[in-house]
Amino acid sequence: MISHSRSEELFTEALKYIPGGVNSPVRAFRAVGGKPFFVDQAKGARVTDVDGNEYVDYVGTWGPAILGHAHPKIIQAIQRTAERGTSFGIPNPLEVTMAKLICSAVPSVEKVRMCNSGTEATMSAIRLARGFTKRDKIIKFEGCYHGHCDSLLVKAGSGALTFGHPDSLGVPAAFTQHTVVLPFNDLEAVRNALKANLGDVAGIIIEPVPGNAGVYLPKPGYLESLRALTKDDGALLIFDEVMTGFRLALGGAQERFGIKPDLSCFGKIIGGGLPVGAFGGRAEIMDCLAPLGPVYQAGTLSGNPLAMAAGIAALEELALRDGYAQLEESGKQLESGMREAAKASNVPVQFNRIGSMFCSYFTNQPVHSLSDAMHCDRLLFAKFFHGMLAEGIYLAPSQFEAGFLSLAHTGEDIDRTVRAAAKVLAALRAN
Ligand code: KE4
């Protein structure tokens, strides 16, 4: 019998001092019930909780752990760098290395500015788009999550969606009056919104592959049409690649789909597991940023040597190994196994995947948008989640989150995951 007694003690303690006992809502297991476990350590594709239970981890700290946890090259880079100081607030050579790595991997990025989270990256990109175009409106899409900055926390995905309040309390209407929210994969809605706000839209921000309402894909031609529509209108196309960047290809979703956005946002993988964000794009836009231009943006720890060293080690290892072919193979193996398990169990599951990002939607309808995803049976997902956890497989604790494969997941890990899914789905069917 798996014990969670130490995790439960810690959670009780945490609840006294931390709202909800967690430092980020999605970790609280509120969407699936039960209490979160506390991690003692993580290595490769495994996390081990404080009670000694080990899990195959498909959350990967929500995306950064694409090489697996505690990759030796990242740990060595952090150790070596930390001995020379952790933060200077003065330019350091690693910032130049990181900037060159991002610009060489993502051709649409001619210049890039580091920050400390994905939220900061998207918040800053929005301000920059408004400053560059001298327009106020921003178009975003239902179910897309761009972090928790006020003007984008509208019909957002991820935790906001999980807890059923996609619009957060505490955000005055005045802060979101310039935010237009549209359904994803609906070009007519974009055309009409651009027409209704002619000359007022500073930018369209989008997760090119939404990973914060599960995982669903842009319909063929959708992203290309957004590129053409924004070019005609003068609005900037902003790809939020905090999750997809360096995940779906070294050049992110924009490489995979062959699109050149005007601005791109990054995070997660480029920090090698340390706090990081970045936004970049055409030099004429980026040069509007202080200290060159009138758009202010700053950060005490932006470009700090530790996060740079960890991120550089991660990106160099990714480029060296060209791990994307391996991630595609692992994704294919997981997808075919999960589809087979679902079919054999007769439980309605739609398994969506692109590269190493995936989601099992508990519905008998295909999922191409948030409204499709909302038909899912969340109770069934919760039972599946806990059934898999009991089998030693840790999935994202919400139907509205993505799962991630890493280069540390082996074929045997995936086979074990598929066997567990077959067992859990059969039990769900039986009850
Ligand atoms: P952060 O501020 O959490 O570093 O990044 C915000 C963000 C921006 N854009 C995209 C596409 C993102 O996926 C995220 C953050 N993703 C969530 C996972 N769904 C982070 C997990 C959490 O909130 O704890």
Side-chain angles (χ1 to χ4, degrees):
M1 178 62 189
I2 291 182
S3 153
H4 289 291
S5 53
R6 182 67 187 125
S7 280
E8 289 184 8
E9 282 165 21
L10 282 166
F11 193 50
T12 305
E13 198 69 1
L15 283 166
K16 293 177 196 160
Y17 304 101
I18 308 169
V22 292
N23 283 309
S24 195
V26 280
R27 305 176 193 170
F29 277 26
R30 300 290 285 261
V32 292
K35 297 171 183 170
F37 57 85
F38 281 61
V39 170
D40 173 57
Q41 62 168 317
K43 181 77 181 156
R46 298 273 186 294
V47 292
T48 306
D49 70 20
V50 291
D51 293 288
N53 305 302
E54 189 185 79
Y55 308 94
V56 180
D57 175 22
Y58 285 100
V59 178
T61 180
W62 303 98
I66 193 167
L67 294 171
H69 291 287
H71 189 282
K73 289 190 177 173
I74 295 177
I75 300 302
Q76 285 152 24
I78 294 171
Q79 286 169 333
R80 189 178 57 236
T81 306
E83 285 160 10
R84 307 168 66 87
T86 54
S87 176
F88 312 127
I90 306 165
N92 75 78
L94 297 174
E95 294 173 273
V96 182
T97 306
M98 173 61 88
K100 288 166 76 173
L101 274 174
I102 293 174
C103 292
S104 63
V106 190
S108 70
V109 176
E110 294 172 345
K111 287 194 175 178
V112 63
R113 168 67 56 88
M114 301 310 298
C115 52
N116 297 286
S117 70
T119 297
E120 268 189 66
T122 58
M123 174 182 76
S124 309
I126 294 297
R127 184 181 313 130
L128 179 58
R130 286 172 162 155
F132 177 75
T133 61
K134 298 189 181 46
R135 299 178 175 187
D136 291 340
K137 297 240 182 276
I138 290 292
I139 291 176
K140 78 172 288 285
F141 297 91
E142 289 168 356
C144 285
Y145 177 70
H146 303 291
H148 60 92
C149 72
D150 285 342
S151 61
L152 294 175
L153 208 48
V154 187
K155 288 195 174 45
S158 187
L161 182 62
T162 296
F163 303 113
H165 42 76
D167 312 346
S168 169
L169 210 57
V171 178
F175 285 28
T176 56
Q177 68 186 24
H178 297 302
T179 306
V180 176
V181 187
L182 302 177
F184 184 81
N185 268 334
D186 177 343
L187 279 173
E188 207 42 40
V190 177
R191 285 192 193 93
N192 293 338
L194 287 172
K195 216 177 289 168
N197 299 280
L198 202 56
D200 286 343
V201 179
I204 292 185
I205 187 167
I206 190 166
E207 290 183 66
V209 173
N212 285 288
V215 177
Y216 42 83
L217 305 186
K219 286 186 177 160
Y222 178 68
L223 296 176
E224 292 82 347
S225 301
L226 287 184
R227 176 64 287 178
L229 286 168
T230 45
K231 214 162 231 139
D232 290 348
D233 176 87
L236 300 187
L237 181 59
I238 306 168
F239 269 18
D240 177 353
E241 296 227 45
V242 167
M243 184 182 284
T244 55
F246 299 91
R247 165 71 54 186
L248 294 183
L250 196 64
Q254 55 193 275
E255 176 187 315
R256 203 169 176 121
F257 289 95
I259 308 274
K260 281 191 95 170
D262 299 298
L263 289 175
S264 300
C265 305
F266 303 99
K268 296 182 191 275
I269 288 172
I270 64 168
L274 295 194
V276 76
F279 59 104
R282 292 185 358 231
E284 66 170 327
I285 304 173
M286 294 301 289
D287 285 349
C288 291
L289 280 172
L292 283 183
V295 179
Y296 194 70
Q297 186 278 338
T300 304
L301 293 172
S302 298
N304 74 79
L306 273 197
M308 295 302 97
I312 289 163
L315 298 191
E316 286 178 344
E317 181 66 11
L318 270 175
L320 193 70
R321 285 179 58 173
D322 182 20
Y324 298 99
Q326 179 188 329
L327 290 169
E328 184 54 34
E329 282 317 301
S330 298
K332 278 194 190 120
Q333 183 190 348
L334 182 66
E335 177 173 356
S336 61
M338 293 298 274
R339 285 177 186 275
E340 221 171 280
K343 198 160 161 239
S345 71
N346 260 334
V347 173
V349 178
Q350 303 292 321
F351 190 86
N352 283 6
R353 176 187 75 88
I354 178 167
S356 57
M357 285 172 64
F358 64 88
C359 178
S360 301
Y361 285 107
F362 281 73
T363 174
N364 55 12
Q365 298 299 319
V367 179
H368 301 294
S369 67
L370 175 65
S371 57
D372 297 341
M374 293 307 280
H375 293 129
C376 288
D377 183 335
R378 291 178 224 181
L379 192 59
L380 206 51
F381 173 83
K383 289 176 181 169
F384 179 68
F385 169 83
H386 282 291
M388 292 295 274
L389 199 62
E391 295 293 324
I393 309 293
Y394 178 53
L395 300 171
S398 163
Q399 173 67 89
F400 302 116
E401 292 292 353
F404 302 98
L405 281 153
S406 79
L407 288 169
H409 285 85
T410 63
E412 178 38 38
D413 289 334
I414 296 168
D415 283 343
R416 176 183 159 193
T417 303
V418 168
R419 287 195 300 272
K423 179 180 171 188
V424 174
L425 288 170
L428 288 180
R429 184 74 196 161
N431 298 326

